[in-house]
Structure formats: C-alpha cells, structure tokens
Amino acid sequence: MFLRGVVFVVCFLTSRQLRLCAADLCNWSGSGFPAGVDTRMVLQVRLRCTEGSVRWVHPGQALRVVLEPNLSSVKRTSICIKPFRTFGGANLFVERDGTLELLVTDDQRAEHVRCFPAEGPQMPAIYIQMSPLGDGPWSRRRMGFRYELTANRRAATSLDHTTSCRPCDDTELLMAVCNSDFVVRGYIENVLHDLGGHTSLVEVLAARVHWQRSAVFRRHSDPSGSPRPWRGVIRAHLQCGVRPGDGEFLFTGSEHFGEAWLGCAPRYKDFLAVYQTAKASRQILCDFPLD
C-alpha cells in the first residue's frame, strides 16, 4: 500500500491553533479536522524524542506521526508502540520508504505492544487511518499510542511468539546477558495466564538483580523496616506455554512501557556451564559476575 492521492498538513506549520499542539516535542495531543474540509487531508506530526505519546481526540481522516529523534549519542535499532485501550475503528500502519505495513486492524485487541526495526536510510513513520463511520470523520472517540525507541536488538522479535518461544542457543544466551534490559537470577513463584491478553505472567522471586533498565523488580520493607526479597513480574506469550519450575533460573529480556518481557531464561547452572566454557575459550562478549 502506497501513500498516493493524499494531502499532508504539517502540524506545526499550518495554523496558529495547530502550531500550539507541537510545543512538546515528545508528546502530541490534538483533534481531527472540522466537517467540510478535504477528506483526503492527512494531519502530520513530527516528534523529536526517543519516547512519548500521541493522543488524538475527535480523530479525523488520517494521522501520520514522523519520529525524528536526536540519535547522535546512541544508536536505536527498534521502535515499539503500545496503542491505548480506547484505540478502535482505525487501522495502524508503519510506513517505510512510502510503503504502509499493517500492524493493527480495527477489529484487533489494540493494547498489545508491537515492535519493529528502525534501521534504514529513513526513520519509519506511524500512520493511522480511520475506518468509515456512520457519523463521518468527526467522531467523539479518543485514540492514540505510546512509543519508545530502544537499542535492544532483540526487542523487535521478543514480542513475536513465533521466535521468542524457542529456547536460546549458546550464542544468543551470551548476547542476552550483555544486551538485555534486565538480567535477574531467581525462582519462579507462580505463573498466571491472561487468556484475554494472550499472555502469561511469571511471578519471580529474585535472589539477585544484576541490572534492570527501570524498576520492574522492587524490594519493599516489612513493618519492622527489614528489606524483603526482590520481586517482579515477567510477561511471556501464552503460546509459549510457560509453566512453574523448580530450581534457580537466569531471567533476561526486554522492557517495554514499564513491563518486562521474557527473553532467554535458562536454569542458572546451565548458564554457568555455557559461560565458563566460553570464557575459557575467550569467546565471551562481556564479563558477568558469578558470585
């Protein structure tokens, strides 16, 4: 699908009213077009940050969000988006070199996180196209999404059950402990299944949090002031069939919008064997603390 026969209106170049909505270069909130304007019109928004949100009130015909962050200091390889629960009655695409690739249809459960590669000569854009409605383009709905750019190379596939369900090989495991958003050694306390969300929630009791990008794993104090163990929840695809297991594991994965998603999760003793063999042959990608 190509972008043909549409008229683009750049948000902060058209009118005084629209120029105000682009004051925050990370987040955008705006409305659709009044009745009587060209129905081919596409509202275009440019954002300059590596994370933020887009809120579209009374959505019009179409919205195109161009992500142009300053990447001089860090290389970002993936873009992740999470549509709001109120997202509906529209199709969401990622645009690459003028071609649209469908991500979310108007009849899908919207609030799942989607990731895709950001590499290429031009940064991808997010394109929302409203579905035909009986009350015309000027509806009373609200829709939008959160976005983030990440340097985690596995992020674009960690949310795809066709690839994330298979066990990691030795090379992937060694890369995971160096490049993951979180690396935690611990035990599975419980596994809950969200059938509607097609996800499993793995409740983890952590013996050690080696690192994490955000506060997914937390330690609270009991009434006496003594610190309690670290605990957190890691999400996995329901199709992966995650089950409770005995013994100590090394959990790795990616974080998206404050949620941890499971990547490689070997038993800790198996990881030790792989790591020590690689270290002896000088094939490790980074030093990992074994104490």
Side-chain angles (χ1 to χ4, degrees):
M1 183 173 182
F2 294 90
L3 297 175
R4 294 176 178 174
V6 297
V7 177
F8 288 103
V9 176
V10 180
C11 175
F12 49 82
L13 293 180
T14 54
S15 69
R16 181 177 180 182
Q17 180 182 5
L18 289 177
R19 185 161 50 243
L20 294 175
C21 73
D24 184 345
L25 297 181
C26 300
N27 308 285
W28 178 82
S29 294
S31 62
F33 296 102
V37 300
D38 191 337
T39 58
R40 298 176 303 159
M41 191 170 290
V42 176
L43 180 63
Q44 181 164 282
V45 178
R46 296 184 182 275
L47 300 175
R48 303 285 185 177
C49 297
T50 56
E51 61 181 70
S53 65
V54 171
R55 298 178 184 273
W56 201 15
V57 184
H58 306 304
Q61 178 71 12
L63 174 69
R64 181 173 182 262
V65 181
V66 182
L67 303 177
E68 296 180 330
N70 180 7
L71 302 181
S72 59
S73 59
V74 60
K75 183 177 181 180
R76 302 286 172 166
T77 60
S78 300
I79 297 176
C80 296
I81 62 171
K82 184 177 183 180
F84 296 157
R85 288 183 178 272
T86 55
F87 192 99
N91 294 319
L92 188 148
F93 303 83
V94 56
E95 178 193 337
R96 307 171 193 268
D97 299 324
T99 302
L100 297 181
E101 177 183 331
L102 183 63
L103 288 183
V104 182
T105 62
D106 59 3
D107 58 352
Q108 283 183 316
R109 185 182 174 113
E111 65 270 20
H112 290 167
V113 178
R114 276 89 170 174
C115 296
F116 47 88
E119 298 173 334
Q122 293 182 335
M123 289 292 293
I126 309 301
Y127 188 88
I128 300 177
Q129 184 177 46
M130 296 299 299
S131 300
L133 296 174
D135 56 356
W138 186 258
S139 70
R140 296 183 177 276
R141 289 176 298 164
R142 299 185 180 188
M143 65 174 54
F145 58 88
R146 297 169 62 190
Y147 71 90
E148 66 177 10
L149 281 77
T150 174
N152 189 343
R153 291 183 177 273
R154 290 180 58 87
T157 57
S158 64
L159 300 178
D160 181 358
H161 69 83
T162 61
T163 56
S164 64
C165 289
R166 64 174 178 79
C168 296
D169 59 31
D170 292 353
T171 301
E172 291 171 329
L173 177 55
L174 293 172
M175 291 181 61
V177 297
C178 300
N179 300 328
S180 292
D181 291 334
F182 66 88
V183 178
V184 174
R185 193 171 85 235
Y187 306 86
I188 298 177
E189 285 194 306
N190 194 17
V191 178
L192 305 175
H193 301 295
D194 178 5
L195 300 181
H198 303 289
T199 58
S200 297
L201 307 178
V202 185
E203 298 178 351
V204 173
L205 173 65
R208 179 172 179 180
V209 177
H210 291 280
W211 58 77
Q212 59 179 332
R213 184 160 61 92
S214 58
V216 173
F217 289 85
R218 300 183 179 184
R219 180 168 57 181
H220 302 283
S221 299
D222 59 24
S224 66
S226 301
R228 293 177 177 176
W230 293 87
R231 280 185 166 85
V233 174
I234 304 176
R235 285 167 167 76
H237 289 285
L238 187 65
Q239 295 93 327
C240 295
V242 177
R243 300 185 301 272
D246 297 330
E248 192 173 27
F249 293 83
L250 187 69
F251 300 97
T252 70
S254 57
E255 296 180 22
H256 306 285
F257 310 105
E259 298 175 346
W261 283 85
L262 188 64
C264 300
R267 292 188 180 275
Y268 186 63
K269 62 180 180 63
D270 295 334
F271 162 73
L272 284 179
V274 171
Y275 181 82
Q276 290 171 344
T277 299
K279 188 172 184 178
S281 59
R282 298 182 178 181
Q283 295 180 345
I284 59 173
L285 303 176
C286 65
D287 289 322
F288 186 83
L290 298 180
D291 52 15

